[in-house]
Amino acid sequence: MGHHQAFDFLVIGSGVAGLSYALQVAEYGTVGIITKKESAESNTNYAQGGIAAVMDPGDSFAQHIADTLDAGAGLCDPEIVRIVVTEGPERLRELMAWGAHFTRTGTGKLHLGREGGHSANRIVHAADATGREVERALLTSVRAHPNIQIFEYHYAIDLITEHHLGQHVSRVRPDIHCYGAYVLDEQTEEVIPFLAKVVMLASGGSGAVYLHTTNPAIATGDGTAMAYRAKARLSNMEFVQFHPTSLFHPEAHSFLISEAVRGEGGLLFNQAGDRFMPAYDDRAELAPRDIVARAIDDQLKQRGEAYVLLDISHKPAAFVKEHFPMIHETCLQFGIDITQQPIPVVPAAHYQCGGVQTDAFARTSIQGLFACGEVTCTGLHGANRLASNSLLEALVFSHRAVAPSVEYVKTQSWNMAVPEWDSSGTKRPQEWVLVSHNREELRRVMWDYVGIVRSRLRLDRAFRRTHLLYEETEDFYRRSRISTGLCELRNMIAVAYLIIRSAQMRHESRGLHYMLDFPDPVESERRPSLV
Ligand code: FAD
Ligand code: SIN
């Protein structure tokens, strides 16, 4: 075989899931991490509120479990919830041992914040930039480890399975194996097979398929789409979480205003100055996200306004600056002083609750392919994720994946003959505009028709539009040389298709999936959706 790379463990993604897994398996073999931009660029890096864990003697596992189940609206897997909640504190202590520093009170105890849907203060955080601290600490340890090599600006195109070895692969076939991934080196424009005994898919979410999102532009659902093409089992793709409060400003690219602002007393008003949340839910501003996002959407539609207002200016300015230094500074850059005035906010796509189905040890339905973090559907979130449960989930399952993947590695070799990537397509530069136009069109279709409030009519329309984009893009893909932009577009279309199809199949409203045609939950529909 020609130019290739080979590792015991190949990790796709350098967010909290990929890095924490890499650090642990590096004790047992060689690890390659590929990441499509610079190492820190990930959803993890932008996480604000924190990590939910029972760290206070006044809190309890039972309460955290109950809150998670309540937010999940009847679709959580109770055993998975128990595992994550009870193992969470240990994983958090491990993260601190790897060098992550979190905000402490005057007496040196962890400061525990509050967020929507939580019945206690249990959010461990680093002021309002928790993800940056987690990413910093993990990257420092990973870079210092002699067994780990990081490949920046390397883009995973597809997982290597029997399909690439010339065998027929169908979704019902029980014994598909993963042998690595085809990876585009963005500098040399060469596609290189990265062979591995175990692949850990930790490629994050897909917020970028929506026009307005809190996610960075890298969140194009590549891992979800790759796994789907490889015929892995996926579930619950209709449950897309919209964060209620992203900054409304023409120049701000959906900058998040953390839920912790409401946790510390922030109140929501419409533009007439009415505090509207108490009319929607007894928990008012601290109701779970689906409820707050839908209430804001309702206010905007009823009143024909473009944003609502989030106000924390009644708190002392020093308090606001101490708790929210990054939000304060960023808003100031847009001319908004949050210690003095309310913040204009709108909901934006935030988190993919569904994804590649995994078991209690992060195993997917494909042998040798593990998955962890936002790309997965573990059963923790059900129909709606509780705030700050996702960093926690990634930490718990990256740890649980270690023992079974180390065992699997022992049974494998790199002996299979993986063919070179076929790069026979010809570049047609005059058509590149297609990629950017189709990307924008897709994001708008998803925002307009597959958003916070859905209907059969809107979903059908979205399906037809998306199908057209699919046909055009596939045709272009067949004729073109590979590029990251084109692959991302293909993946975004695949993810959009999965969201729309799953939404069309759920004939009820539950959690994040709200359908005008079926406004209530229906007990006979209460099961995870499968694709
Ligand atoms: P990510 O951190 O997104 O990492 C994915 C990695 O995969 C990236 O390095 C990316 O470059 C790489 N990648 C993707 N595709 C490819 C490819 N094809 N080839 C190579 N590399 C690829 N959750 C909480 O629990 N608490 C919070 O306070 C919180 N706040 C948030 C605030 C914001 C603004 C956002 C966007 C999310 C927030 N979340 C929060 C959610 C949480 O941050 C994410 O769910 C979590 O960080 C996901 O981690 P991950 O490791 O799975 O993926
Ligand atoms: C936030 O800080 O509001 C984000 C928390 C989360 O998504 O879990």
Side-chain angles (χ1 to χ4, degrees), residues 48-50 115 241 243 256-260 289 350 385-390:
Q48 293 187 1
E115 287 180 343
Q241 183 170 72
H243 196 291
L256 180 74
I257 308 293
S258 175
E259 191 144 323
R289 277 187 193 163
H350 183 60
R385 174 178 69 97
L386 186 65
S388 287
N389 262 359
S390 65

Side-chain angles (χ1 to χ4, degrees), residues 11-20 33-52 115 123-125 128-131 134-135 151 153-158 182-184 186 201-207 213-216 218-224 226 241 243 254-260 289 326 349-352 372-376 381 385-394 484 487-488 491:
V11 181
I12 302 177
S14 56
V16 61
L19 295 179
S20 54
I33 303 177
I34 57 167
T35 187
K36 68 192 208 184
K37 293 282 174 246
E38 61 272 20
S39 302
E41 187 61 355
S42 57
N43 275 7
T44 301
N45 204 39
Y46 297 91
Q48 293 187 1
I51 307 176
E115 287 180 343
I123 318 295
V124 177
H125 61 106
D128 59 352
T130 307
V134 169
E135 198 63 23
F151 297 83
Y153 292 92
H154 277 64
Y155 179 86
I157 302 169
D158 261 323
Y182 286 111
V183 177
L184 173 68
E186 290 198 347
L201 190 61
S203 51
S206 57
T213 175
T214 62
N215 293 187
I218 51 134
T220 51
D222 298 334
T224 307
M226 275 190 279
Q241 183 170 72
H243 196 291
S254 294
F255 174 67
L256 180 74
I257 308 293
S258 175
E259 191 144 323
R289 277 187 193 163
M326 197 254 299
H350 183 60
Y351 184 84
Q352 165 185 314
C372 184
E374 191 167 339
V375 70
T376 62
H381 309 308
R385 174 178 69 97
L386 186 65
S388 287
N389 262 359
S390 65
L391 294 171
L392 181 74
E393 179 191 43
T484 300
C487 291
E488 284 184 342
N491 291 336

Side-chain angles (χ1 to χ4, degrees), residues 9-257:
F9 304 90
L10 175 66
V11 181
I12 302 177
S14 56
V16 61
L19 295 179
S20 54
Y21 174 78
L23 263 183
Q24 296 171 82
V25 291
E27 301 306 314
Y28 304 92
T30 55
V31 183
I33 303 177
I34 57 167
T35 187
K36 68 192 208 184
K37 293 282 174 246
E38 61 272 20
S39 302
E41 187 61 355
S42 57
N43 275 7
T44 301
N45 204 39
Y46 297 91
Q48 293 187 1
I51 307 176
V54 177
M55 304 298 278
D56 185 274
D59 193 5
S60 70
F61 289 151
Q63 271 176 273
H64 189 183
I65 289 171
D67 294 344
T68 303
L69 293 173
D70 185 43
L75 274 194
C76 301
D77 178 334
E79 176 55 11
I80 294 292
V81 175
R82 187 196 64 75
I83 287 173
V84 173
V85 167
T86 55
E87 295 181 8
E90 210 178 319
R91 298 289 79 80
L92 199 70
R93 282 190 277 274
E94 206 162 64
L95 182 61
M96 291 190 270
W98 287 328
H101 299 295
F102 297 112
T103 301
R104 304 234 164 216
T105 63
T107 58
K109 285 194 192 142
L110 284 170
H111 179 271
L112 299 174
R114 184 77 170 256
E115 287 180 343
H118 287 276
S119 58
N121 281 42
R122 65 167 73 99
I123 318 295
V124 177
H125 61 106
D128 59 352
T130 307
R132 204 157 63 195
E133 174 57 13
V134 169
E135 198 63 23
R136 181 203 63 74
L138 289 173
L139 270 175
T140 305
S141 298
V142 159
R143 285 192 179 118
H145 204 295
N147 272 1
I148 307 178
Q149 220 178 322
I150 306 191
F151 297 83
E152 293 188 324
Y153 292 92
H154 277 64
Y155 179 86
I157 302 169
D158 261 323
L159 299 168
I160 302 171
T161 65
E162 279 80 359
H163 169 74
H164 300 96
L165 307 180
Q167 298 171 28
H168 177 68
V169 171
S170 82
R171 211 166 287 283
V172 289
R173 184 178 158 164
D175 60 340
I176 308 171
H177 296 78
C178 182
Y179 303 110
Y182 286 111
V183 177
L184 173 68
D185 176 340
E186 290 198 347
Q187 264 177 336
T188 62
E189 295 189 12
E190 202 187 348
V191 178
I192 308 160
F194 273 59
L195 305 184
K197 296 174 183 170
V198 155
V199 175
M200 168 53 83
L201 190 61
S203 51
S206 57
V209 304
Y210 284 90
L211 187 62
H212 302 293
T213 175
T214 62
N215 293 187
I218 51 134
T220 51
D222 298 334
T224 307
M226 275 190 279
Y228 179 64
R229 282 196 294 274
K231 309 251 187 303
R233 226 171 282 137
L234 278 74
S235 54
N236 285 0
M237 285 299 293
E238 66 273 39
F239 298 112
V240 177
Q241 183 170 72
F242 292 82
H243 196 291
T245 59
S246 77
L247 178 62
F248 177 85
H249 189 282
E251 280 146 43
H253 292 291
S254 294
F255 174 67
L256 180 74
I257 308 293

